[in-house]
């Protein structure tokens, strides 16, 4: 927990920031969950100069902007430095573990990792809620919008609903321990900006009413440990229809997941990764196999893994103390 970090004195800190799935089908832009497995490692060093520098970008993705204002980690650090009157500056090295344009919260992870690492180099304690606006400022550089559905769970862990961003009002929702999340990433890049451009400006009142009922029922199912209710509710009636065509074979893969026993299956964030919530590891294995087979019928190679919804978000993994 960020709140529990001791204050003071570390000069260089490395943070692991996990991948995450935005929207979780029912809560476009407001609901998201942390994932176990891939993530970004972000190292921040204090500088005496009042500036922010990107020192290096390595790992699965290297072709990212190095101008701080155009880089999600850089922009997040600029926001933290300017808004919190930090003396001196920061240099950041990013080791990307999350593929670009995958729908797995890669831009959010770099932004979150940067502010959590920077906070650990500063004196005092910083709560996740204090850091959230700065991570959001970083995420906005990539997608063009401030949306918290990846940033909040990456920062705080677990399944998180953001009711309001200014000031942040975030709600951690319990996830039944039997839930396993299958993730199947087709070998395609789809930027969040591109996937957002496909969406209509307006939705109908009747669709909005139905989706609100599904979100409410989903959250109630999580609190009641009621997997049948979660299974009835885990649907995206508003956004998915506009994005399905961006992923080759989407409908076949989704059908295959549901026939194999998934509680629900939709796009992870803006896609193209698909996620499916399942009851237990046995169902998850069967659903993963069905989804990869369906993608292969469309000649789409995939990368897969099965995750829980870990309660821990971004965390310090290495720190050098100067004192
Ligand atoms: N909620 C956003 C979207 C980002 O669907 O466009 C998800 O990663």
């Amino acid at each position: 927990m960020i709140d529990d970090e001791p204050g003071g004195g570390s000069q260089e800190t490395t943070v692991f920031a996990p991948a995450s799935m935005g929207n979780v089908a029912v809560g476009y832009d407001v609901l998201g969950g942390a994932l176990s497995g891939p993530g970004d490692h972000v190292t921040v060093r204090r500088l005496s100069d009042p500036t922010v520098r990107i020192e290096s970008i390595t790992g699965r993705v290297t072709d990212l902007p190095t101008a701080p204002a155009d880089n999600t980690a850089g922009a997040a650090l600029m926001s933290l430095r300017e808004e919190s009157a930090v003396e001196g500056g920061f240099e950041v090295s990013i080791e990307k573990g999350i593929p670009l344009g995958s729908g797995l919260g890669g831009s959010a992870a770099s932004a979150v990792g940067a502010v959590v690492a920077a906070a650990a180099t500063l004196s005092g304690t910083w709560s996740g809620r204090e850091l959230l606006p700065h991570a959001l400022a970083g995420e906005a550089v990539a997608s063009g919008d401030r949306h918290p559905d990846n940033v909040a769970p990456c920062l705080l862990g677990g399944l998180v609903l953001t009711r309001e961003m200014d000031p942040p009002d975030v709600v951690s929702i319990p996830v039944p321990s039997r839930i396993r999340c299958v993730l199947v990433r087709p070998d395609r890049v789809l930027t969040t900006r591109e996937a957002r451009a496909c969406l209509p400006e307006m939705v109908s009142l009747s669709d909005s009413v139905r989706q609100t009922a599904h979100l409410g029922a989903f959250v109630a199912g999580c609190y009641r440990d009621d997997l049948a209710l979660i299974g009835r509710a885990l649907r995206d009636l508003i956004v998915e229809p506009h994005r399905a065509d961006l992923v080759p074979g989407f409908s076949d893969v989704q059908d295959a997941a549901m026939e194999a026993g998934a509680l629900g299956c939709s796009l992870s964030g803006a896609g193209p990764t698909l996620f499916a919530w399942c009851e237990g590891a046995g169902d998850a294995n069967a659903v993963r196999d069905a989804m990869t087979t369906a993608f292969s019928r469309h000649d789409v190679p995939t990368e897969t893994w099965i995750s829980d919804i870990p309660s821990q978000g971004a965390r310090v993994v290495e720190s050098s103390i100067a004192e």
Side-chain angles (χ1 to χ4, degrees), residues 28 190-202 238-247 267 270:
Y28 175 68
L190 175 60
T191 66
T192 301
R193 205 179 276 270
E194 189 186 341
R196 290 177 88 80
C198 295
L199 302 181
E201 296 250 322
M202 312 280 279
I238 290 184
V239 172
E240 184 190 288
H242 299 281
R243 289 179 167 171
D245 286 347
L246 298 174
V247 181
L267 294 165

Short mmCIF file of all heavy atoms in Angstrom, two decimals, residues 28 190-202 238-247 267 270:
data_model
loop_
_atom_site.label_atom_id
_atom_site.label_comp_id
_atom_site.label_asym_id
_atom_site.label_seq_id
_atom_site.Cartn_x
_atom_site.Cartn_y
_atom_site.Cartn_z
N TYR A 28 -18.15 1.26 -18.67
CA TYR A 28 -17.28 1.99 -19.59
C TYR A 28 -16.67 3.21 -18.89
O TYR A 28 -17.38 4.06 -18.34
CB TYR A 28 -18.08 2.44 -20.83
CG TYR A 28 -17.29 3.31 -21.77
CD1 TYR A 28 -16.22 2.79 -22.48
CD2 TYR A 28 -17.60 4.67 -21.93
CE1 TYR A 28 -15.48 3.60 -23.34
CE2 TYR A 28 -16.87 5.47 -22.79
CZ TYR A 28 -15.80 4.92 -23.49
OH TYR A 28 -15.07 5.72 -24.34
N LEU A 190 -4.15 -1.93 -31.45
CA LEU A 190 -5.31 -1.04 -31.59
C LEU A 190 -5.15 0.06 -30.54
O LEU A 190 -5.15 -0.23 -29.33
CB LEU A 190 -6.60 -1.84 -31.32
CG LEU A 190 -7.92 -1.06 -31.30
CD1 LEU A 190 -8.17 -0.35 -32.63
CD2 LEU A 190 -9.08 -2.01 -30.98
N THR A 191 -4.98 1.27 -30.99
CA THR A 191 -4.76 2.33 -30.00
C THR A 191 -6.09 2.72 -29.37
O THR A 191 -7.15 2.65 -30.00
CB THR A 191 -4.12 3.59 -30.63
OG1 THR A 191 -5.05 4.16 -31.55
CG2 THR A 191 -2.81 3.25 -31.33
N THR A 192 -6.01 3.12 -28.11
CA THR A 192 -7.22 3.56 -27.41
C THR A 192 -7.83 4.76 -28.13
O THR A 192 -9.06 4.87 -28.26
CB THR A 192 -6.86 3.94 -25.96
OG1 THR A 192 -6.29 2.79 -25.32
CG2 THR A 192 -8.07 4.37 -25.17
N ARG A 193 -6.98 5.62 -28.63
CA ARG A 193 -7.47 6.81 -29.35
C ARG A 193 -8.33 6.39 -30.55
O ARG A 193 -9.43 6.92 -30.77
CB ARG A 193 -6.27 7.64 -29.82
CG ARG A 193 -6.53 9.10 -30.02
CD ARG A 193 -5.23 9.77 -30.46
NE ARG A 193 -4.37 10.14 -29.36
CZ ARG A 193 -4.42 11.31 -28.73
NH1 ARG A 193 -5.30 12.21 -29.10
NH2 ARG A 193 -3.59 11.57 -27.75
N GLU A 194 -7.83 5.39 -31.29
CA GLU A 194 -8.55 4.90 -32.47
C GLU A 194 -9.87 4.24 -32.04
O GLU A 194 -10.92 4.47 -32.66
CB GLU A 194 -7.64 3.86 -33.16
CG GLU A 194 -8.05 3.36 -34.51
CD GLU A 194 -7.11 2.22 -34.96
OE1 GLU A 194 -5.98 2.08 -34.43
OE2 GLU A 194 -7.53 1.47 -35.82
N ALA A 195 -9.82 3.44 -30.99
CA ALA A 195 -11.03 2.73 -30.54
C ALA A 195 -12.05 3.71 -29.97
O ALA A 195 -13.26 3.46 -30.05
CB ALA A 195 -10.66 1.67 -29.51
N ARG A 196 -11.61 4.81 -29.40
CA ARG A 196 -12.55 5.80 -28.88
C ARG A 196 -13.19 6.60 -30.02
O ARG A 196 -14.33 7.05 -29.90
CB ARG A 196 -11.84 6.75 -27.89
CG ARG A 196 -11.47 6.08 -26.59
CD ARG A 196 -10.72 6.99 -25.66
NE ARG A 196 -11.57 7.79 -24.79
CZ ARG A 196 -12.14 7.36 -23.68
NH1 ARG A 196 -11.95 6.12 -23.28
NH2 ARG A 196 -12.88 8.15 -22.94
N ALA A 197 -12.44 6.74 -31.11
CA ALA A 197 -12.97 7.50 -32.25
C ALA A 197 -14.16 6.78 -32.89
O ALA A 197 -14.94 7.40 -33.62
CB ALA A 197 -11.87 7.74 -33.27
N CYS A 198 -14.31 5.48 -32.63
CA CYS A 198 -15.42 4.70 -33.22
C CYS A 198 -16.72 4.88 -32.45
O CYS A 198 -17.76 4.37 -32.87
CB CYS A 198 -15.11 3.21 -33.18
SG CYS A 198 -13.75 2.75 -34.18
N LEU A 199 -16.65 5.51 -31.30
CA LEU A 199 -17.83 5.54 -30.43
C LEU A 199 -18.72 6.74 -30.74
O LEU A 199 -18.22 7.82 -31.10
CB LEU A 199 -17.39 5.58 -28.96
CG LEU A 199 -16.51 4.41 -28.53
CD1 LEU A 199 -16.15 4.52 -27.06
CD2 LEU A 199 -17.20 3.09 -28.81
N PRO A 200 -20.02 6.57 -30.57
CA PRO A 200 -20.94 7.70 -30.82
C PRO A 200 -20.84 8.73 -29.70
O PRO A 200 -20.43 8.40 -28.59
CB PRO A 200 -22.31 7.02 -30.82
CG PRO A 200 -22.15 5.82 -29.96
CD PRO A 200 -20.73 5.36 -30.12
N GLU A 201 -21.22 9.95 -30.00
CA GLU A 201 -21.23 11.01 -28.98
C GLU A 201 -22.37 10.79 -28.00
O GLU A 201 -22.27 11.16 -26.83
CB GLU A 201 -21.42 12.37 -29.66
CG GLU A 201 -20.30 12.76 -30.58
CD GLU A 201 -19.50 13.91 -30.03
OE1 GLU A 201 -20.11 14.81 -29.44
OE2 GLU A 201 -18.26 13.89 -30.19
N MET A 202 -23.47 10.22 -28.48
CA MET A 202 -24.67 10.07 -27.65
C MET A 202 -25.09 8.60 -27.62
O MET A 202 -24.89 7.88 -28.59
CB MET A 202 -25.84 10.88 -28.25
CG MET A 202 -25.49 12.29 -28.63
SD MET A 202 -25.48 13.37 -27.21
CE MET A 202 -27.21 13.71 -27.04
N ILE A 238 -23.48 -1.07 -24.75
CA ILE A 238 -23.31 0.29 -25.28
C ILE A 238 -22.07 0.43 -26.17
O ILE A 238 -22.15 0.96 -27.27
CB ILE A 238 -23.26 1.31 -24.11
CG1 ILE A 238 -24.64 1.39 -23.46
CG2 ILE A 238 -22.80 2.67 -24.57
CD1 ILE A 238 -24.75 2.42 -22.37
N VAL A 239 -20.94 -0.02 -25.67
CA VAL A 239 -19.67 0.26 -26.35
C VAL A 239 -19.27 -0.88 -27.29
O VAL A 239 -18.87 -0.66 -28.44
CB VAL A 239 -18.57 0.53 -25.30
CG1 VAL A 239 -17.20 0.63 -25.95
CG2 VAL A 239 -18.89 1.82 -24.54
N GLU A 240 -19.37 -2.10 -26.79
CA GLU A 240 -18.92 -3.27 -27.55
C GLU A 240 -19.48 -3.33 -28.98
O GLU A 240 -18.72 -3.62 -29.92
CB GLU A 240 -19.28 -4.54 -26.77
CG GLU A 240 -18.79 -5.82 -27.39
CD GLU A 240 -19.42 -7.02 -26.68
OE1 GLU A 240 -19.02 -7.29 -25.53
OE2 GLU A 240 -20.30 -7.67 -27.27
N PRO A 241 -20.77 -3.05 -29.19
CA PRO A 241 -21.28 -3.14 -30.57
C PRO A 241 -20.54 -2.23 -31.56
O PRO A 241 -20.45 -2.55 -32.74
CB PRO A 241 -22.75 -2.70 -30.44
CG PRO A 241 -23.10 -2.96 -29.00
CD PRO A 241 -21.85 -2.72 -28.23
N HIS A 242 -20.00 -1.12 -31.06
CA HIS A 242 -19.30 -0.19 -31.96
C HIS A 242 -17.85 -0.59 -32.20
O HIS A 242 -17.21 -0.08 -33.10
CB HIS A 242 -19.36 1.23 -31.38
CG HIS A 242 -20.75 1.74 -31.25
ND1 HIS A 242 -21.48 2.22 -32.31
CD2 HIS A 242 -21.57 1.80 -30.17
CE1 HIS A 242 -22.69 2.57 -31.89
NE2 HIS A 242 -22.76 2.33 -30.59
N ARG A 243 -17.33 -1.46 -31.34
CA ARG A 243 -15.91 -1.82 -31.44
C ARG A 243 -15.67 -3.25 -31.95
O ARG A 243 -14.53 -3.60 -32.28
CB ARG A 243 -15.22 -1.66 -30.08
CG ARG A 243 -15.05 -0.22 -29.66
CD ARG A 243 -14.40 -0.11 -28.30
NE ARG A 243 -13.95 1.25 -28.04
CZ ARG A 243 -13.51 1.67 -26.86
NH1 ARG A 243 -13.45 0.83 -25.83
NH2 ARG A 243 -13.11 2.91 -26.70
N ALA A 244 -16.72 -4.05 -31.97
CA ALA A 244 -16.55 -5.47 -32.27
C ALA A 244 -15.83 -5.68 -33.61
O ALA A 244 -14.97 -6.56 -33.73
CB ALA A 244 -17.90 -6.17 -32.27
N ASP A 245 -16.16 -4.86 -34.59
CA ASP A 245 -15.57 -5.05 -35.93
C ASP A 245 -14.07 -4.71 -35.97
O ASP A 245 -13.40 -5.00 -36.96
CB ASP A 245 -16.29 -4.17 -36.96
CG ASP A 245 -17.66 -4.73 -37.29
OD1 ASP A 245 -17.92 -5.90 -36.91
OD2 ASP A 245 -18.46 -4.00 -37.90
N LEU A 246 -13.55 -4.10 -34.92
CA LEU A 246 -12.12 -3.76 -34.90
C LEU A 246 -11.26 -4.99 -34.61
O LEU A 246 -10.05 -4.95 -34.80
CB LEU A 246 -11.84 -2.69 -33.83
CG LEU A 246 -12.54 -1.34 -34.01
CD1 LEU A 246 -12.28 -0.45 -32.80
CD2 LEU A 246 -12.06 -0.65 -35.30
N VAL A 247 -11.90 -6.06 -34.14
CA VAL A 247 -11.16 -7.28 -33.77
C VAL A 247 -11.62 -8.42 -34.68
O VAL A 247 -12.78 -8.83 -34.61
CB VAL A 247 -11.40 -7.66 -32.29
CG1 VAL A 247 -10.60 -8.89 -31.92
CG2 VAL A 247 -11.07 -6.49 -31.38
N LEU A 267 -14.41 -7.05 -24.59
CA LEU A 267 -13.11 -6.44 -24.82
C LEU A 267 -12.49 -6.03 -23.50
O LEU A 267 -13.18 -5.50 -22.62
CB LEU A 267 -13.26 -5.20 -25.70
CG LEU A 267 -13.74 -5.45 -27.12
CD1 LEU A 267 -14.20 -4.13 -27.76
CD2 LEU A 267 -12.61 -6.06 -27.95
N ALA A 270 -10.11 -0.96 -24.36
CA ALA A 270 -10.47 -0.61 -25.73
C ALA A 270 -10.16 -1.73 -26.71
O ALA A 270 -10.38 -1.59 -27.90
CB ALA A 270 -9.71 0.66 -26.12
#
